[in-house]
Amino acid sequence: MKHLYKQGNKKLPTLLLLHGTGGDERDLLPLAAMIAPEASVLSVKGNVDENGMARFFARLREGVFDEEDLLFRTRELKEFIDESAVDYGFDRDNVVALGYSNGANIAASLMYHINKSLKGGILFHAMVPRRGVDLPELNGVPVFIGAGKRDPLIPMAETEELVKNLKSAHSSVTEFWTDGGHELRREEVEEAKRWFEENFN
């Protein structure tokens, strides 16, 4: 997968950066610099092309995921992280995802489907990746969820369902709601920074 790697403090988790639809491997670098400036970064570009826009998995239409592709791409990303840990020498068991929108959805999918795939996650404006599945044990895998109360793409009930599912798998979930829409707001980034420092510094 097309990516960038930046070596940082090896005592901190490696941040796995996962962009939104139409982004690339450079999109979230400024975000990582705000939230965890000393952390190593593995920033990945999605392999799916939707009308010229990069995504991490296909969808059938707005808000409806192609589940078969989602599962395939989730495994593909997991294997890429495994290989990158060997190539770059970071601790595979200490990787925290930082995703926005489509990137947050594939990060959630890793947590839903693959045991111990992540040490934690910062999910900005994420949806429930898949319904009707039993999540692996997520005790010791904290998650920060940033959401907008007026998000036109993600109803509040969707975010609340995601939170409920993660908590049912024993993840410690921190929610932060803004009055905004699908855009990323400074206050949720600042809260994510505080959350990261409390959990991983």
Side-chain angles (χ1 to χ4, degrees):
M1 300 181 79
K2 191 175 182 187
H3 67 283
L4 290 169
Y5 179 74
K6 179 174 73 77
Q7 179 68 56
N9 184 341
K10 289 201 169 191
K11 293 179 182 176
L12 293 171
T14 296
L15 278 185
L16 173 69
L17 304 187
L18 303 165
H19 62 78
T21 299
D24 62 25
E25 70 279 12
R26 299 183 182 279
D27 262 25
L28 299 190
L29 293 174
L31 204 56
M34 291 170 74
I35 291 171
E38 293 183 14
S40 298
V41 165
L42 177 66
S43 190
V44 187
K45 183 178 180 181
N47 271 347
V48 173
D49 185 312
E50 182 185 270
N51 303 318
M53 296 186 296
R55 282 178 56 85
F56 285 99
F57 58 88
R59 56 185 171 182
L60 304 177
R61 59 183 182 277
E62 185 78 62
V64 181
F65 301 160
D66 180 332
E67 288 197 4
E68 187 178 339
D69 192 62
L70 172 67
L71 291 171
F72 173 79
R73 300 296 176 181
T74 300
R75 288 191 293 270
E76 176 185 60
L77 179 58
K78 184 263 183 191
E79 288 164 7
F80 175 74
I81 304 165
D82 293 349
E83 292 163 8
S84 297
V86 175
D87 292 345
Y88 295 113
F90 63 81
D91 182 355
R92 176 62 186 88
D93 295 326
N94 198 18
V95 175
V96 172
L98 168 55
Y100 167 68
S101 194
N102 180 243
N105 295 339
I106 192 107
S109 184
L110 282 169
M111 288 187 259
Y112 266 56
H113 296 112
I114 303 173
N115 190 35
K116 296 183 178 175
S117 55
L118 294 170
K119 187 67 178 172
I122 297 172
L123 310 181
F124 290 119
H125 303 259
M127 297 175 71
V128 175
R130 195 159 168 245
R131 292 181 167 85
V133 293
D134 293 324
L135 276 65
E137 175 62 49
L138 292 174
N139 185 33
V141 183
V143 178
F144 176 91
I145 292 179
K149 293 176 184 175
R150 295 185 175 86
D151 192 326
L153 303 178
I154 307 173
M156 288 180 70
E158 176 94 14
T159 304
E160 288 162 355
E161 183 182 344
L162 176 62
V163 170
K164 182 182 174 185
N165 291 346
L166 293 170
K167 284 184 174 178
S168 294
H170 306 122
S171 171
S172 164
V173 182
T174 300
E175 300 170 61
F176 184 77
W177 293 84
T178 75
D179 288 325
H182 198 64
E183 77 283 356
L184 198 51
R185 292 201 164 189
R186 175 170 284 275
E187 60 260 39
E188 57 187 309
V189 175
E190 289 169 351
E191 282 298 319
K193 176 182 173 67
R194 189 173 297 119
W195 172 91
F196 185 86
E197 290 170 351
E198 285 173 0
N199 283 278
F200 297 107
N201 273 0

Short mmCIF file of all heavy atoms in Angstrom, two decimals, residues 1-6 13-20 23-36 39-46 56 77 80-81 95-100 102-104 106-107 110 118 122 124 196:
data_model
loop_
_atom_site.label_atom_id
_atom_site.label_comp_id
_atom_site.label_asym_id
_atom_site.label_seq_id
_atom_site.Cartn_x
_atom_site.Cartn_y
_atom_site.Cartn_z
N MET A 1 0.85 -1.19 0.00
CA MET A 1 0.00 0.00 0.00
C MET A 1 0.88 1.24 0.00
O MET A 1 1.93 1.27 0.66
CB MET A 1 -0.92 0.00 1.22
CG MET A 1 -1.86 -1.20 1.30
SD MET A 1 -2.98 -1.19 2.75
CE MET A 1 -4.22 -0.02 2.20
N LYS A 2 0.48 2.25 -0.73
CA LYS A 2 1.23 3.50 -0.75
C LYS A 2 1.18 4.11 0.64
O LYS A 2 0.12 4.18 1.27
CB LYS A 2 0.65 4.46 -1.78
CG LYS A 2 1.55 5.66 -2.05
CD LYS A 2 1.03 6.55 -3.16
CE LYS A 2 2.00 7.70 -3.42
NZ LYS A 2 1.45 8.68 -4.38
N HIS A 3 2.34 4.57 1.14
CA HIS A 3 2.37 5.03 2.53
C HIS A 3 3.59 5.92 2.77
O HIS A 3 4.49 6.02 1.94
CB HIS A 3 2.43 3.83 3.47
CG HIS A 3 3.71 3.06 3.37
ND1 HIS A 3 3.98 2.20 2.33
CD2 HIS A 3 4.83 3.06 4.16
CE1 HIS A 3 5.19 1.68 2.49
NE2 HIS A 3 5.73 2.20 3.59
N LEU A 4 3.59 6.53 3.94
CA LEU A 4 4.74 7.27 4.47
C LEU A 4 5.02 6.75 5.87
O LEU A 4 4.09 6.45 6.62
CB LEU A 4 4.43 8.76 4.56
CG LEU A 4 4.29 9.56 3.27
CD1 LEU A 4 3.71 10.93 3.58
CD2 LEU A 4 5.63 9.70 2.58
N TYR A 5 6.28 6.65 6.23
CA TYR A 5 6.63 6.29 7.61
C TYR A 5 7.58 7.34 8.16
O TYR A 5 8.54 7.75 7.50
CB TYR A 5 7.30 4.92 7.68
CG TYR A 5 7.68 4.54 9.10
CD1 TYR A 5 6.70 4.15 10.01
CD2 TYR A 5 9.00 4.64 9.54
CE1 TYR A 5 7.02 3.85 11.32
CE2 TYR A 5 9.34 4.34 10.86
CZ TYR A 5 8.35 3.94 11.74
OH TYR A 5 8.68 3.66 13.05
N LYS A 6 7.30 7.76 9.38
CA LYS A 6 8.15 8.76 10.06
C LYS A 6 8.49 8.22 11.44
O LYS A 6 7.60 7.94 12.24
CB LYS A 6 7.41 10.09 10.17
CG LYS A 6 8.20 11.19 10.88
CD LYS A 6 7.47 12.52 10.82
CE LYS A 6 6.27 12.59 11.72
NZ LYS A 6 6.63 12.79 13.15
N PRO A 13 3.10 4.84 21.16
CA PRO A 13 2.52 4.04 20.09
C PRO A 13 2.84 4.63 18.72
O PRO A 13 3.06 5.83 18.59
CB PRO A 13 1.00 4.13 20.35
CG PRO A 13 0.86 4.59 21.75
CD PRO A 13 2.07 5.40 22.06
N THR A 14 2.90 3.77 17.72
CA THR A 14 2.96 4.23 16.34
C THR A 14 1.55 4.62 15.91
O THR A 14 0.60 3.85 16.12
CB THR A 14 3.50 3.13 15.41
OG1 THR A 14 4.86 2.84 15.79
CG2 THR A 14 3.47 3.56 13.95
N LEU A 15 1.40 5.82 15.34
CA LEU A 15 0.09 6.28 14.88
C LEU A 15 -0.14 5.78 13.45
O LEU A 15 0.65 6.06 12.55
CB LEU A 15 0.01 7.80 14.90
CG LEU A 15 -0.31 8.49 16.22
CD1 LEU A 15 -0.45 9.99 15.98
CD2 LEU A 15 -1.57 7.95 16.87
N LEU A 16 -1.23 5.06 13.26
CA LEU A 16 -1.65 4.60 11.94
C LEU A 16 -2.64 5.63 11.39
O LEU A 16 -3.76 5.74 11.89
CB LEU A 16 -2.31 3.22 12.05
CG LEU A 16 -2.96 2.66 10.79
CD1 LEU A 16 -1.91 2.32 9.74
CD2 LEU A 16 -3.82 1.45 11.14
N LEU A 17 -2.23 6.39 10.38
CA LEU A 17 -3.06 7.47 9.85
C LEU A 17 -3.88 6.97 8.67
O LEU A 17 -3.33 6.43 7.71
CB LEU A 17 -2.21 8.67 9.43
CG LEU A 17 -1.27 9.27 10.48
CD1 LEU A 17 -0.63 10.55 9.94
CD2 LEU A 17 -1.99 9.53 11.79
N LEU A 18 -5.20 7.20 8.74
CA LEU A 18 -6.14 6.69 7.74
C LEU A 18 -7.06 7.83 7.30
O LEU A 18 -7.93 8.27 8.04
CB LEU A 18 -6.94 5.53 8.34
CG LEU A 18 -6.09 4.36 8.89
CD1 LEU A 18 -6.93 3.46 9.78
CD2 LEU A 18 -5.46 3.57 7.75
N HIS A 19 -6.86 8.28 6.08
CA HIS A 19 -7.55 9.47 5.55
C HIS A 19 -9.02 9.22 5.22
O HIS A 19 -9.49 8.08 5.16
CB HIS A 19 -6.82 9.96 4.29
CG HIS A 19 -6.82 8.94 3.17
ND1 HIS A 19 -7.92 8.73 2.36
CD2 HIS A 19 -5.86 8.09 2.73
CE1 HIS A 19 -7.63 7.79 1.48
NE2 HIS A 19 -6.39 7.38 1.68
N GLY A 20 -9.73 10.30 4.94
CA GLY A 20 -11.11 10.21 4.47
C GLY A 20 -11.17 10.05 2.96
O GLY A 20 -10.14 10.10 2.28
N GLY A 23 -8.74 11.48 0.07
CA GLY A 23 -7.48 11.92 0.66
C GLY A 23 -6.31 11.08 0.19
O GLY A 23 -6.42 10.27 -0.72
N ASP A 24 -5.17 11.29 0.83
CA ASP A 24 -4.00 10.48 0.52
C ASP A 24 -3.15 10.35 1.79
O ASP A 24 -3.56 10.75 2.87
CB ASP A 24 -3.20 11.06 -0.65
CG ASP A 24 -2.63 12.45 -0.37
OD1 ASP A 24 -2.42 12.81 0.81
OD2 ASP A 24 -2.38 13.20 -1.33
N GLU A 25 -1.95 9.78 1.60
CA GLU A 25 -1.10 9.46 2.75
C GLU A 25 -0.52 10.71 3.42
O GLU A 25 0.09 10.60 4.49
CB GLU A 25 0.01 8.49 2.34
CG GLU A 25 1.09 9.07 1.44
CD GLU A 25 0.69 9.12 -0.03
OE1 GLU A 25 -0.50 8.92 -0.37
OE2 GLU A 25 1.59 9.39 -0.86
N ARG A 26 -0.71 11.89 2.84
CA ARG A 26 -0.21 13.12 3.46
C ARG A 26 -1.28 13.88 4.24
O ARG A 26 -0.96 14.76 5.05
CB ARG A 26 0.37 14.05 2.38
CG ARG A 26 1.54 13.44 1.64
CD ARG A 26 2.17 14.41 0.63
NE ARG A 26 3.24 13.75 -0.09
CZ ARG A 26 4.47 13.60 0.36
NH1 ARG A 26 4.79 14.08 1.55
NH2 ARG A 26 5.39 12.98 -0.35
N ASP A 27 -2.53 13.54 4.01
CA ASP A 27 -3.65 14.31 4.55
C ASP A 27 -3.62 14.53 6.06
O ASP A 27 -3.88 15.63 6.53
CB ASP A 27 -4.98 13.62 4.19
CG ASP A 27 -5.62 14.23 2.97
OD1 ASP A 27 -4.89 14.82 2.15
OD2 ASP A 27 -6.85 14.13 2.84
N LEU A 28 -3.36 13.47 6.80
CA LEU A 28 -3.52 13.56 8.26
C LEU A 28 -2.21 13.82 9.00
O LEU A 28 -2.19 13.82 10.23
CB LEU A 28 -4.18 12.28 8.80
CG LEU A 28 -5.58 11.96 8.27
CD1 LEU A 28 -6.21 10.83 9.08
CD2 LEU A 28 -6.50 13.18 8.30
N LEU A 29 -1.13 14.07 8.26
CA LEU A 29 0.15 14.36 8.92
C LEU A 29 0.06 15.58 9.84
O LEU A 29 0.56 15.53 10.98
CB LEU A 29 1.26 14.54 7.89
CG LEU A 29 1.66 13.28 7.10
CD1 LEU A 29 2.68 13.64 6.02
CD2 LEU A 29 2.21 12.20 8.02
N PRO A 30 -0.60 16.68 9.42
CA PRO A 30 -0.74 17.82 10.33
C PRO A 30 -1.55 17.47 11.58
O PRO A 30 -1.28 17.98 12.67
CB PRO A 30 -1.46 18.88 9.49
CG PRO A 30 -1.20 18.48 8.07
CD PRO A 30 -1.15 16.99 8.08
N LEU A 31 -2.53 16.59 11.42
CA LEU A 31 -3.36 16.16 12.55
C LEU A 31 -2.53 15.37 13.56
O LEU A 31 -2.62 15.59 14.78
CB LEU A 31 -4.51 15.29 12.02
CG LEU A 31 -5.78 15.17 12.85
CD1 LEU A 31 -6.37 16.54 13.13
CD2 LEU A 31 -6.77 14.28 12.13
N ALA A 32 -1.70 14.46 13.04
CA ALA A 32 -0.82 13.68 13.92
C ALA A 32 0.14 14.60 14.66
O ALA A 32 0.42 14.40 15.85
CB ALA A 32 -0.04 12.65 13.10
N ALA A 33 0.63 15.63 13.97
CA ALA A 33 1.57 16.58 14.59
C ALA A 33 0.90 17.36 15.72
O ALA A 33 1.57 17.77 16.68
CB ALA A 33 2.12 17.53 13.54
N MET A 34 -0.41 17.57 15.62
CA MET A 34 -1.14 18.28 16.67
C MET A 34 -1.45 17.36 17.86
O MET A 34 -1.38 17.77 19.01
CB MET A 34 -2.46 18.83 16.11
CG MET A 34 -2.29 19.95 15.11
SD MET A 34 -3.84 20.37 14.28
CE MET A 34 -4.71 21.22 15.59
N ILE A 35 -1.78 16.10 17.57
CA ILE A 35 -2.26 15.20 18.62
C ILE A 35 -1.10 14.50 19.34
O ILE A 35 -1.11 14.37 20.57
CB ILE A 35 -3.23 14.16 18.01
CG1 ILE A 35 -4.53 14.87 17.60
CG2 ILE A 35 -3.53 13.03 19.00
CD1 ILE A 35 -5.49 14.02 16.79
N ALA A 36 -0.11 14.03 18.58
CA ALA A 36 1.00 13.30 19.19
C ALA A 36 2.28 13.59 18.40
O ALA A 36 2.75 12.74 17.63
CB ALA A 36 0.71 11.81 19.21
N ALA A 39 5.21 10.99 18.32
CA ALA A 39 4.95 9.59 17.97
C ALA A 39 5.44 9.27 16.55
O ALA A 39 5.45 10.13 15.67
CB ALA A 39 3.46 9.29 18.07
N SER A 40 5.83 8.01 16.35
CA SER A 40 6.08 7.53 14.99
C SER A 40 4.77 7.48 14.23
O SER A 40 3.70 7.33 14.82
CB SER A 40 6.68 6.12 15.03
OG SER A 40 7.92 6.11 15.70
N VAL A 41 4.86 7.61 12.91
CA VAL A 41 3.66 7.67 12.07
C VAL A 41 3.79 6.71 10.89
O VAL A 41 4.81 6.70 10.21
CB VAL A 41 3.46 9.12 11.54
CG1 VAL A 41 2.46 9.15 10.40
CG2 VAL A 41 3.00 10.05 12.66
N LEU A 42 2.75 5.91 10.71
CA LEU A 42 2.59 5.11 9.50
C LEU A 42 1.31 5.61 8.83
O LEU A 42 0.22 5.35 9.33
CB LEU A 42 2.48 3.62 9.82
CG LEU A 42 2.25 2.68 8.63
CD1 LEU A 42 3.44 2.67 7.68
CD2 LEU A 42 1.93 1.26 9.10
N SER A 43 1.47 6.36 7.75
CA SER A 43 0.32 6.98 7.09
C SER A 43 0.07 6.27 5.77
O SER A 43 0.96 6.17 4.92
CB SER A 43 0.57 8.47 6.88
OG SER A 43 -0.61 9.11 6.45
N VAL A 44 -1.15 5.78 5.59
CA VAL A 44 -1.46 4.86 4.49
C VAL A 44 -2.50 5.49 3.55
O VAL A 44 -3.42 6.17 4.00
CB VAL A 44 -2.02 3.53 5.05
CG1 VAL A 44 -2.19 2.51 3.95
CG2 VAL A 44 -1.11 2.98 6.15
N LYS A 45 -2.34 5.21 2.26
CA LYS A 45 -3.34 5.61 1.27
C LYS A 45 -4.20 4.41 0.91
O LYS A 45 -3.70 3.31 0.66
CB LYS A 45 -2.66 6.16 0.01
CG LYS A 45 -3.65 6.67 -1.03
CD LYS A 45 -2.94 7.24 -2.25
CE LYS A 45 -3.97 7.74 -3.28
NZ LYS A 45 -3.29 8.29 -4.48
N GLY A 46 -5.51 4.62 0.88
CA GLY A 46 -6.44 3.55 0.53
C GLY A 46 -6.23 3.04 -0.89
O GLY A 46 -5.88 3.81 -1.79
N PHE A 56 -10.61 3.36 1.43
CA PHE A 56 -10.04 2.14 2.00
C PHE A 56 -10.87 0.90 1.67
O PHE A 56 -10.38 -0.22 1.78
CB PHE A 56 -9.85 2.29 3.51
CG PHE A 56 -8.69 3.16 3.85
CD1 PHE A 56 -8.87 4.49 4.18
CD2 PHE A 56 -7.39 2.68 3.78
CE1 PHE A 56 -7.80 5.32 4.46
CE2 PHE A 56 -6.31 3.49 4.06
CZ PHE A 56 -6.51 4.81 4.40
N LEU A 77 -5.24 -4.45 5.11
CA LEU A 77 -4.62 -3.41 5.93
C LEU A 77 -3.91 -4.03 7.12
O LEU A 77 -2.78 -3.63 7.46
CB LEU A 77 -5.68 -2.40 6.39
CG LEU A 77 -5.19 -1.26 7.28
CD1 LEU A 77 -4.09 -0.44 6.59
CD2 LEU A 77 -6.35 -0.35 7.68
N PHE A 80 -0.72 -5.43 5.98
CA PHE A 80 0.23 -4.35 5.67
C PHE A 80 0.87 -3.80 6.94
O PHE A 80 2.08 -3.52 6.97
CB PHE A 80 -0.47 -3.23 4.90
CG PHE A 80 0.42 -2.05 4.66
CD1 PHE A 80 1.44 -2.11 3.71
CD2 PHE A 80 0.28 -0.89 5.40
CE1 PHE A 80 2.29 -1.03 3.51
CE2 PHE A 80 1.13 0.19 5.21
CZ PHE A 80 2.14 0.11 4.26
N ILE A 81 0.08 -3.64 8.00
CA ILE A 81 0.63 -3.17 9.29
C ILE A 81 1.65 -4.17 9.81
O ILE A 81 2.74 -3.81 10.28
CB ILE A 81 -0.47 -2.91 10.33
CG1 ILE A 81 -1.52 -1.93 9.83
CG2 ILE A 81 0.14 -2.38 11.63
CD1 ILE A 81 -2.81 -1.93 10.65
N VAL A 95 0.15 -0.09 18.25
CA VAL A 95 -0.28 0.74 17.12
C VAL A 95 -1.66 1.32 17.43
O VAL A 95 -2.59 0.58 17.77
CB VAL A 95 -0.34 -0.07 15.81
CG1 VAL A 95 -0.92 0.77 14.67
CG2 VAL A 95 1.04 -0.60 15.44
N VAL A 96 -1.77 2.63 17.35
CA VAL A 96 -3.04 3.32 17.59
C VAL A 96 -3.50 3.97 16.29
O VAL A 96 -2.74 4.73 15.67
CB VAL A 96 -2.88 4.40 18.69
CG1 VAL A 96 -4.16 5.24 18.81
CG2 VAL A 96 -2.57 3.74 20.03
N ALA A 97 -4.70 3.65 15.87
CA ALA A 97 -5.23 4.23 14.63
C ALA A 97 -5.73 5.65 14.86
O ALA A 97 -6.28 5.96 15.91
CB ALA A 97 -6.37 3.37 14.10
N LEU A 98 -5.52 6.49 13.86
CA LEU A 98 -6.06 7.85 13.84
C LEU A 98 -6.74 8.00 12.48
O LEU A 98 -6.07 8.12 11.45
CB LEU A 98 -4.95 8.88 14.02
CG LEU A 98 -5.27 10.36 13.74
CD1 LEU A 98 -6.45 10.83 14.55
CD2 LEU A 98 -4.05 11.23 14.01
N GLY A 99 -8.07 7.92 12.47
CA GLY A 99 -8.78 7.92 11.21
C GLY A 99 -9.89 8.94 11.16
O GLY A 99 -10.49 9.29 12.19
N TYR A 100 -10.15 9.43 9.96
CA TYR A 100 -11.26 10.36 9.73
C TYR A 100 -12.20 9.78 8.68
O TYR A 100 -11.75 9.34 7.61
CB TYR A 100 -10.72 11.72 9.27
CG TYR A 100 -11.80 12.64 8.72
CD1 TYR A 100 -12.78 13.17 9.57
CD2 TYR A 100 -11.87 12.93 7.37
CE1 TYR A 100 -13.78 13.98 9.07
CE2 TYR A 100 -12.87 13.75 6.86
CZ TYR A 100 -13.83 14.27 7.72
OH TYR A 100 -14.84 15.07 7.22
N ASN A 102 -13.99 7.79 6.20
CA ASN A 102 -13.73 6.46 5.65
C ASN A 102 -12.55 5.77 6.34
O ASN A 102 -12.58 4.56 6.58
CB ASN A 102 -13.47 6.58 4.14
CG ASN A 102 -13.18 5.25 3.48
OD1 ASN A 102 -12.09 5.04 2.96
ND2 ASN A 102 -14.13 4.33 3.51
N GLY A 103 -11.52 6.55 6.69
CA GLY A 103 -10.39 5.98 7.41
C GLY A 103 -10.76 5.53 8.81
O GLY A 103 -10.27 4.49 9.30
N ALA A 104 -11.63 6.28 9.48
CA ALA A 104 -12.11 5.87 10.80
C ALA A 104 -12.95 4.60 10.69
O ALA A 104 -12.93 3.75 11.59
CB ALA A 104 -12.93 6.99 11.44
N ILE A 106 -12.57 2.09 8.51
CA ILE A 106 -11.71 0.89 8.36
C ILE A 106 -10.97 0.61 9.66
O ILE A 106 -10.74 -0.55 10.01
CB ILE A 106 -10.75 0.99 7.16
CG1 ILE A 106 -10.09 -0.38 6.86
CG2 ILE A 106 -9.64 2.00 7.38
CD1 ILE A 106 -10.58 -1.06 5.65
N ALA A 107 -10.64 1.65 10.42
CA ALA A 107 -10.04 1.44 11.75
C ALA A 107 -11.03 0.70 12.66
O ALA A 107 -10.65 -0.24 13.37
CB ALA A 107 -9.63 2.76 12.36
N LEU A 110 -11.15 -2.93 11.73
CA LEU A 110 -10.05 -3.70 12.33
C LEU A 110 -10.43 -4.15 13.74
O LEU A 110 -10.22 -5.31 14.11
CB LEU A 110 -8.77 -2.86 12.38
CG LEU A 110 -7.96 -2.69 11.10
CD1 LEU A 110 -6.90 -1.62 11.28
CD2 LEU A 110 -7.31 -4.01 10.68
N LEU A 118 -5.26 -3.51 16.98
CA LEU A 118 -4.90 -2.15 17.38
C LEU A 118 -4.81 -2.06 18.89
O LEU A 118 -5.51 -2.78 19.61
CB LEU A 118 -5.94 -1.15 16.87
CG LEU A 118 -6.06 -0.97 15.35
CD1 LEU A 118 -7.28 -0.13 15.02
CD2 LEU A 118 -4.79 -0.34 14.76
N ILE A 122 -8.41 6.56 17.53
CA ILE A 122 -9.04 7.87 17.49
C ILE A 122 -9.89 7.87 16.23
O ILE A 122 -9.35 7.87 15.12
CB ILE A 122 -8.00 9.00 17.46
CG1 ILE A 122 -7.15 8.98 18.74
CG2 ILE A 122 -8.69 10.36 17.30
CD1 ILE A 122 -5.97 9.95 18.72
N PHE A 124 -12.59 9.80 14.12
CA PHE A 124 -13.33 11.03 13.86
C PHE A 124 -14.41 10.74 12.82
O PHE A 124 -14.11 10.33 11.70
CB PHE A 124 -12.39 12.11 13.32
CG PHE A 124 -11.41 12.67 14.32
CD1 PHE A 124 -10.05 12.55 14.11
CD2 PHE A 124 -11.85 13.31 15.47
CE1 PHE A 124 -9.13 13.08 15.02
CE2 PHE A 124 -10.95 13.83 16.38
CZ PHE A 124 -9.59 13.71 16.16
N PHE A 196 -5.15 11.17 24.15
CA PHE A 196 -3.94 10.42 23.82
C PHE A 196 -2.92 10.54 24.95
O PHE A 196 -2.30 9.55 25.37
CB PHE A 196 -3.35 10.91 22.51
CG PHE A 196 -2.16 10.10 22.04
CD1 PHE A 196 -2.34 8.95 21.29
CD2 PHE A 196 -0.86 10.50 22.39
CE1 PHE A 196 -1.23 8.20 20.87
CE2 PHE A 196 0.23 9.75 21.98
CZ PHE A 196 0.05 8.60 21.23
#
